[in-house]
Amino acid sequence: MVQAYILIQTDVGRAATVAQAIAGIEGVALAEDVTGPYDVIARVEAPTVDELGKLVIAKIQDVEGITRTLTCTVVHV
């Protein structure tokens, strides 16, 4: 299982609604609105790196109000 954190910037005032929308997407384990340079952080899981990419591009980035995402894949050293 591939895991990643998705750091998300949103339009002003949209963080809570974006976090709520993302939380309902299959593969998203957690999505919360936060303070700082990013507005929402989501923890996601997928069977492969390719599936992770599809989740981010086809589902998460499609949520209205998102302006930018940064994917940080979890590594186990």
Side-chain angles (χ1 to χ4, degrees):
M1 187 69 65
V2 180
Q3 300 172 328
Y5 289 95
I6 312 299
L7 310 178
I8 302 164
Q9 293 178 333
T10 68
D11 291 326
V12 174
R14 299 294 305 267
T17 56
V18 166
Q20 188 174 35
I22 290 172
I25 297 172
E26 186 177 346
V28 176
L30 179 68
E32 296 185 298
D33 47 322
V34 297
T35 60
Y38 293 93
D39 303 305
V40 176
I41 297 178
R43 171 117 182 183
V44 299
E45 299 176 338
T48 66
V49 172
D50 287 341
E51 290 297 317
L52 178 68
K54 290 176 188 175
L55 171 64
V56 173
I57 293 169
K59 295 183 180 176
I60 292 176
Q61 289 182 351
D62 197 40
V63 172
E64 189 175 335
I66 292 178
T67 59
R68 185 181 186 122
T69 65
L70 175 67
T71 302
C72 302
T73 306
V74 175
V75 294
H76 300 282
V77 182

